[in-house]
Amino acid sequence: MATIQEVQFDSPIYYVGQRVRVEFEFRLYGVPTDPTVIQVAARNPVTESTVFLVYPNASLTRVGTGLYEADFVVSDPGQWHFRAEGAGVVDAVTEVHLDVLASTTVY
């Protein structure tokens, strides 16, 4: 059985312009395992555009066996959605979201 462990973010509160780090771990029968291919998608709530990162050809960082990170700048307020998919050796999918607040600081 293939699973992706909980996706974690680096801060409990997020604001427009902040860089967020999405971390995810792929496991096969409970053992951390590297998928052959990984795709991570980030969906912007305002423009409804989606950014795709595909590993090994994108800016995903392999932290350890089965453990990966991807950084995104959240450019608009609203609920951002992230989806991580592993294929090949480990077939697994997870989706998470986070709420991004507009800045209340006036420049």
Side-chain angles (χ1 to χ4, degrees):
M1 173 183 208
T3 61
I4 297 179
Q5 296 297 87
E6 171 184 335
V7 176
Q8 299 176 358
F9 296 101
D10 55 358
S11 174
I13 299 173
Y14 310 96
Y15 292 97
V16 168
Q18 184 175 354
R19 181 177 305 275
V20 296
R21 174 163 290 157
V22 182
E23 297 177 341
F24 44 94
E25 182 177 24
F26 296 92
R27 292 178 173 262
L28 184 62
Y29 298 108
V31 178
T33 306
D34 290 322
T36 307
V37 176
I38 300 168
Q39 177 174 284
V40 177
R43 185 164 175 84
N44 182 312
V46 173
T47 65
E48 296 186 358
S49 62
T50 304
V51 173
F52 292 96
L53 303 178
V54 180
Y55 184 86
N57 300 322
S59 58
L60 296 173
T61 302
R62 182 179 181 269
V63 178
T65 303
L67 183 61
Y68 294 82
E69 297 176 341
D71 290 340
F72 296 91
V73 174
V74 289
S75 55
D76 291 300
Q79 191 172 80
W80 283 72
H81 292 264
F82 298 89
R83 177 180 173 98
E85 302 176 12
V89 177
V90 178
D91 293 321
V93 174
T94 191
E95 293 186 6
V96 296
H97 68 273
L98 62 88
D99 293 317
V100 176
L101 304 175
S103 176
T104 57
T105 303
V106 178
Y107 293 79

